[in-house]
Amino acid sequence: MEIVKTVDELREILKRYKNNSIGFVPTMGALHDGHISLIKRSHDENDIVVVSIFVNPTQFLAGEDLDKYPRRDEVDKKICELAKVDILFMPNIDDMYTGNDEVKVVAPAVRGYVLEGFIRPGHFDGVLRVVCKLFNIVKPTNAYFGKKDAQQLVLIQQMVKDLFMDINVVPCELIRDNDGLALSSRNVYLTQEQRTQALAIPKSLKSAAKKIGMGELDVSVLKALMSETMSGLNVEYIAFVDREFNEINKIEVKNSIILVAARVGNTRLIDNIWI
Ligand code: AMP
């Protein structure tokens, strides 16, 4: 595995792979089995795999956890090596952001500013900006993103379409821990007690899916059930959207997503289920 720190060096190395398919997995590090599942899929479907680890400052709002976001560089290097990553790209902030007066990418006015974008205004501008830069550096054939960050995935798919980027965005399944909690780098912030409380999130999603399986498609009924299951948590939103992220009142099977964001202590968790 080659560990690359600068954009120039990466571009030089990638010249060797002009005739190969390149699978790309962008991450912010503190790697877990969710990330590893993306890397594995990328490995199966491409000649080489590039993983990036970059805690992107422009997607954090003032007062968010940028400074304390978990950084595990040495462990992450080992994980990538074991997962047979070919190139691990770990750039510095100055290398990714070259000046104060940059051209930026702006998230769509509606879908970029609802749900996550409403609670974290500007977050998706930062996400799309860094992903656009990374795509232009790596020029991947296929890029792998988790359904865990459903809104991010949909917005990246839209950026690729709208800006005519020649990249195939591959949605990957959400990976959970044995107890059902969606894997997230932020789970390390949770105390044991908070973790137990947080299990109400996947439980509520599961109970809604079960009800849907029994024929209940009315969103208000499902929402009430989920609110009750999560009554002990500080829920930011329970949302029902179609796969294009338009709000829905009735579940349409194979075209719906149920999303939850909740705070447990100071930790913000998101989870979802694709119906
Ligand atoms: P992050 O490091 O949190 O920015 O995530 C990097 C990539 O891993 C994104 O595409 C995420 O959607 C994906 N990811 C994070 N957690 C999970 C998970 N539990 N299951 C599947 N993919 C995930």
Side-chain angles (χ1 to χ4, degrees), residues 87-152:
I87 300 171
L88 175 58
F89 181 46
M90 303 175 83
N92 292 319
I93 291 176
D94 294 348
D95 218 32
M96 290 298 289
Y97 292 102
T98 50
N100 292 324
D101 197 19
E102 282 195 344
V103 173
K104 296 184 175 112
V105 184
V106 179
V110 178
R111 290 192 293 167
Y113 286 88
V114 294
L115 302 173
E116 284 304 285
F118 182 76
I119 309 269
R120 308 178 72 190
H123 166 70
F124 287 118
D125 290 353
V127 170
L128 296 182
R129 189 172 165 195
V130 80
V131 171
C132 179
K133 281 171 183 268
L134 289 166
F135 279 180
N136 285 330
I137 300 164
V138 178
K139 297 194 179 72
T141 320
N142 298 301
Y144 296 81
F145 291 89
K147 288 182 178 176
K148 157 86 169 27
D149 299 281
Q151 195 172 0
Q152 166 176 288

Side-chain angles (χ1 to χ4, degrees), residues 14-187:
L14 285 172
K15 282 182 188 162
R16 283 191 233 143
Y17 300 102
K18 267 203 297 256
N19 298 320
N20 294 98
S21 60
I22 299 177
F24 179 42
V25 182
T27 81
M28 297 207 299
L31 301 178
H32 51 64
D33 282 350
H35 299 113
I36 294 169
S37 72
L38 271 54
I39 296 173
K40 280 198 177 128
R41 174 123 188 234
S42 173
H43 213 282
D44 290 345
E45 297 177 356
N46 299 277
D47 296 326
I48 72 155
V49 177
V50 179
V51 171
S52 65
I53 295 181
F54 179 62
V55 182
N56 172 40
T58 63
Q59 71 188 70
F60 288 79
L61 272 62
E64 289 189 342
D65 57 346
L66 173 63
D67 293 335
K68 71 174 180 97
Y69 194 83
R71 285 163 171 86
R72 303 261 163 85
D73 285 0
E74 291 315 307
V75 176
D76 286 348
K77 284 180 196 168
K78 291 232 162 64
I79 291 173
C80 286
E81 189 130 30
L82 286 170
K84 299 198 166 42
V85 169
D86 296 280
I87 300 171
L88 175 58
F89 181 46
M90 303 175 83
N92 292 319
I93 291 176
D94 294 348
D95 218 32
M96 290 298 289
Y97 292 102
T98 50
N100 292 324
D101 197 19
E102 282 195 344
V103 173
K104 296 184 175 112
V105 184
V106 179
V110 178
R111 290 192 293 167
Y113 286 88
V114 294
L115 302 173
E116 284 304 285
F118 182 76
I119 309 269
R120 308 178 72 190
H123 166 70
F124 287 118
D125 290 353
V127 170
L128 296 182
R129 189 172 165 195
V130 80
V131 171
C132 179
K133 281 171 183 268
L134 289 166
F135 279 180
N136 285 330
I137 300 164
V138 178
K139 297 194 179 72
T141 320
N142 298 301
Y144 296 81
F145 291 89
K147 288 182 178 176
K148 157 86 169 27
D149 299 281
Q151 195 172 0
Q152 166 176 288
L153 166 64
V154 167
L155 293 177
I156 289 168
Q157 285 173 319
Q158 192 176 343
M159 175 177 74
V160 164
K161 179 168 163 268
D162 291 352
L163 301 184
F164 302 102
M165 295 173 161
D166 192 13
I167 292 166
N168 180 34
V169 173
V170 184
C172 298
E173 291 310 315
L174 190 160
I175 306 295
R176 299 181 178 282
D177 226 329
N178 290 336
D179 58 7
L181 193 65
L183 288 175
S184 163
S185 304
R186 289 190 167 99
N187 289 353

